[in-house]
Amino acid sequence: MLHELYRYQEGHYFIDKAIQDIPVSGVFSLSDPQQSLETLASAHQLKLDFYSSYMLYVKQLDHKK
């Protein structure tokens, strides 16, 4: 899923190995990839860490805080 969204953006993304195989289904807008990423993160309790506008790290949301 992220691979398809990032085809339309500049930059790189990294996915924590613990969540690489999460099944995803749905319809996501390619006209607003940022909103699609946020929707995906919310639906699957993921954290999007942007280290710059060109680097994203996706991991499981930490509920301990």
Side-chain angles (χ1 to χ4, degrees), residues 6-57:
Y6 257 78
R7 287 178 47 197
Y8 301 91
Q9 295 192 150
E10 293 184 28
H12 299 282
Y13 66 90
F14 303 92
I15 303 173
D16 189 299
K17 289 183 182 192
I19 62 167
Q20 283 182 338
D21 296 325
I22 290 177
V24 174
S25 65
V27 177
F28 297 92
S29 173
L30 296 177
S31 64
D32 190 354
Q34 181 66 33
Q35 180 62 42
S36 294
L37 284 171
E38 291 171 11
T39 300
L40 180 64
S42 177
H44 291 281
Q45 299 182 355
L46 305 176
K47 183 166 180 7
L48 304 175
D49 286 331
F50 290 93
Y51 293 99
S52 73
S53 57
Y54 297 102
M55 188 181 302
L56 167 63
Y57 182 70

Side-chain angles (χ1 to χ4, degrees), residues 47 49 59-65:
K47 183 166 180 7
D49 286 331
K59 63 184 178 180
Q60 190 73 42
L61 190 61
D62 184 7
H63 293 288
K64 295 179 183 178
K65 294 181 180 182

